[in-house]
Amino acid sequence: MSVIFTKANNLKGEIDIPGDKSISHRSVMLGALAKGTTEVEHFLDAADCNSTIKCFNAMGIEVEKKDEDKIIIHGKGLHGLKESEQALNVGNSGTTIRLLSGILSAQDFNSRISGDDSICRRPMGRIIKPLTMMGADIKSKENNDCSPLFINGKKLNGIDYISPIASAQVKSAILFAGMYAEGETSVTEPYISRNHSEKMISYFGGNIRQDGTKCIITPYPHLEGQKVIVPGDISSAAYFMVAGLITEGSEILVKNVGINPTRDGLIEVIKEMGGDIELLNMKDEMEPCADILCKSSNLKGITIGGSIIPRLIDEIPIIAVMACFAEGQTIIKDAQELKVKESNRIDVIVENLQRMGADITPTDDGMIINGGKPLKGAVLGSRHDHRVAMSFAIAGLAAEGKTEIIGSECVNISYPAFYRDLESLMQK
Ligand code: S3P
């Protein structure tokens, strides 16, 4: 499938952003491992989170869909999962395969776990190594540190792991395994990555604490089912925030967006670039959230690197688009992780923006963009990467002429209603 965009100014209106993907995945996982029921409101009903539900269904967990975005998980406790007859299929979801591997390593049964072509190219050595240090028996099929993974459940021991990368998926896999281990387990990261697992383990009654960039979990006999209200996903809100900033005469209000400080790097970047952004109706329930208002702005280039990178890693494709509309140079550095996302995002961002006429150069850990020249429409590939398709839809609205995005259906991974919501902002 492909979609076509032409220049659109005066984008106006409000968007209700779908539920946060990271929190939705974790609500199913922790709900399954808790005693009693967990009711989740504003759950993200999209392909990735539905893959997590299917994996738990295959291990005997009942998940009732009450509504499009309301689910009830019938938890069976920490030791209530059963062996799946088939290989568990995570589809395109890196969060599912990595976090689930932590849980499966500690079960008293064996598992096989795999996913689509993109998942089978993504590095799993980063979880195999620490889980093996904990006593797990986890192997990749070709011994190449890629899925399919074969996991023979074992008794685990706690470790103190110094992670070479700031990755919430790696940290969470270890913490989930740590819930079952003998003794304490800690993970120290170079910079703090998103902390939803820590917040939710604690919310479900687990025993977890933070000391600087080190997170420590002590096994606890059980988790208790909870009511979870998922905030809107800032990674999905990002497309509309940037659309409001880079198209002329626009004013977009994105409602109920999660602004956890480990996820809010984009807000900081927009402010530093001179963007007109306001946070309204701030509230703090399980996670802090706010409505975010963005208006057309004159932006300036900045340097983005260091500890902010894990706080905006999924937003870099749309930040690169935004940088093309900023006066001066934007440097994105310390972001090597982009190469091992759903696609090699350094490659695809540079290729697509060059096709649109941008002045952009790839570097080993990011890219350099000389902004301020108008973009022109082009035919672009999504590489089946949802964040690439959505970012270039916004680029297409801000560029001169016609932009076609091939493989546009991949937005179903995290935001099935994306094109419909975008259209709702266009003046009829
Ligand atoms: C996620 C963590 C991040 C992020 C991904 C979701 C999570 O990945 O890019 O989209 O839910 O834990 P890494 O842990 O690989 O940085």
Side-chain angles (χ1 to χ4, degrees):
M1 218 179 103
S2 77
V3 278
I4 293 181
F5 290 95
T6 50
K7 196 171 172 71
N9 290 328
N10 303 312
L11 300 177
K12 295 238 160 73
E14 294 182 8
I15 300 287
D16 276 314
I17 291 296
D20 187 274
K21 183 152 80 66
S22 294
I23 298 173
S24 295
H25 281 302
R26 287 158 171 83
S27 68
V28 175
M29 296 179 185
L30 289 168
L33 302 179
K35 288 210 299 206
T37 55
T38 288
E39 196 178 312
V40 188
E41 275 180 26
H42 205 225
F43 179 78
L44 175 62
D45 183 20
D48 259 15
C49 299
N50 289 329
S51 293
T52 295
I53 293 185
K54 284 191 207 123
C55 288
F56 279 90
N57 288 154
M59 294 188 288
I61 299 294
E62 190 198 340
V63 179
E64 279 177 79
K65 280 212 165 179
K66 282 287 179 198
D67 234 324
E68 215 176 74
D69 66 354
K70 182 166 173 184
I71 60 166
I72 295 182
I73 304 144
H74 295 270
K76 294 220 163 139
L78 282 168
H79 300 281
L81 299 178
K82 68 173 182 46
E83 183 163 341
S84 166
E85 280 165 22
Q86 301 95 29
L88 298 166
N89 181 358
V90 305
N92 190 246
S93 175
T95 304
T96 311
I97 195 164
R98 295 201 176 108
L99 274 55
L100 200 47
S101 295
I103 296 170
L104 295 175
S105 292
Q107 304 303 312
D108 58 3
F109 55 78
N110 300 339
S111 311
R112 284 165 297 152
I113 183 163
S114 194
D116 68 8
D117 290 350
S118 152
I119 274 293
C120 292
R121 284 193 299 270
R122 296 183 69 184
M124 295 299 145
R126 54 182 58 198
I127 54 153
I128 296 176
K129 183 178 167 211
L131 292 174
T132 305
M133 286 163 68
M134 296 177 80
D137 177 359
I138 169 167
K139 295 206 167 47
S140 52
K141 191 173 173 194
E142 318 276 348
N143 260 328
N144 59 356
D145 284 348
C146 288
S147 53
L149 300 176
F150 296 83
I151 304 177
N152 295 327
K154 291 277 182 231
K155 290 234 169 312
L156 304 181
N157 51 273
I159 55 167
D160 292 310
Y161 189 63
I162 312 283
S163 178
I165 40 176
S167 157
Q169 293 179 356
V170 171
K171 173 175 62 177
S172 305
I174 300 168
L175 294 176
F176 280 9
M179 294 198 293
Y180 293 90
E182 181 74 35
E184 279 190 351
T185 295
S186 73
V187 185
T188 306
E189 303 187 274
Y191 303 120
I192 294 191
S193 63
R194 66 190 67 191
N195 64 0
H196 305 302
S197 295
E198 297 89 304
K199 290 189 84 146
M200 289 182 81
I201 289 173
S202 171
Y203 186 67
F204 277 73
N207 192 348
I208 192 157
R209 62 187 199 278
Q210 189 77 29
D211 178 9
T213 61
K214 180 177 184 173
C215 178
I216 307 125
I217 186 158
T218 310
Y220 197 70
H222 67 265
L223 301 173
E224 211 54 71
Q226 296 296 331
K227 176 158 182 166
V228 175
I229 301 176
V230 181
D233 196 325
I234 191 165
S235 300
S236 300
Y239 308 105
F240 298 99
M241 290 158 65
V242 172
L245 296 165
I246 66 173
T247 57
E248 277 165 40
S250 297
E251 187 169 331
I252 301 176
L253 182 69
V254 279
K255 297 192 73 179
N256 184 34
V257 183
I259 51 164
N260 177 315
T262 62
R263 291 284 299 282
D264 68 352
L266 174 65
I267 297 173
E268 204 172 304
V269 160
I270 291 174
K271 286 182 181 160
E272 209 185 320
M273 291 177 90
D276 187 343
I277 181 170
E278 254 182 283
L279 268 56
L280 310 161
N281 298 322
M282 282 164 63
K283 51 182 193 265
D284 197 354
E285 286 161 359
M286 190 185 77
E287 291 269 352
C289 57
D291 297 340
I292 301 180
L293 180 66
C294 283
K295 298 182 189 164
S296 309
S297 302
N298 293 322
L299 302 171
K300 61 175 193 312
I302 59 168
T303 295
I304 305 167
S307 64
I308 200 172
I309 294 295
R311 293 169 49 216
L312 49 66
I313 187 73
D314 291 343
E315 288 68 77
I316 292 180
I318 189 68
I319 289 174
V321 170
M322 176 164 63
C324 294
F325 294 87
E327 278 306 320
Q329 192 169 72
T330 294
I331 301 174
I332 299 173
K333 58 181 189 180
D334 306 319
Q336 305 83 335
E337 279 293 300
L338 290 174
K339 293 181 183 167
V340 290
K341 293 294 176 189
E342 286 85 327
S343 67
N344 179 334
R345 287 185 178 158
I346 296 186
D347 257 23
V348 64
I349 292 169
V350 170
E351 181 181 309
N352 282 348
L353 282 176
Q354 281 179 345
R355 280 197 195 161
M356 298 183 91
D359 178 350
I360 176 167
T361 313
T363 60
D364 193 45
D365 64 350
M367 59 203 77
I368 299 172
I369 299 160
N370 291 309
K373 294 201 303 182
L375 294 186
K376 56 182 193 319
V379 178
L380 308 172
S382 69
R383 295 206 198 168
H384 309 292
D385 183 333
H386 54 138
R387 306 224 178 272
V388 171
M390 292 189 273
S391 299
F392 284 93
I394 304 302
L397 290 183
E400 300 297 333
K402 191 170 99 178
T403 296
E404 180 170 3
I405 296 167
I406 315 276
S408 53
E409 69 284 355
C410 60
V411 302
N412 290 333
I413 293 295
S414 64
Y415 198 160
F418 175 72
Y419 299 116
R420 199 182 61 209
D421 283 356
L422 197 51
E423 212 184 313
S424 76
L425 298 173
M426 299 190 196
Q427 305 300 305
K428 304 286 168 328

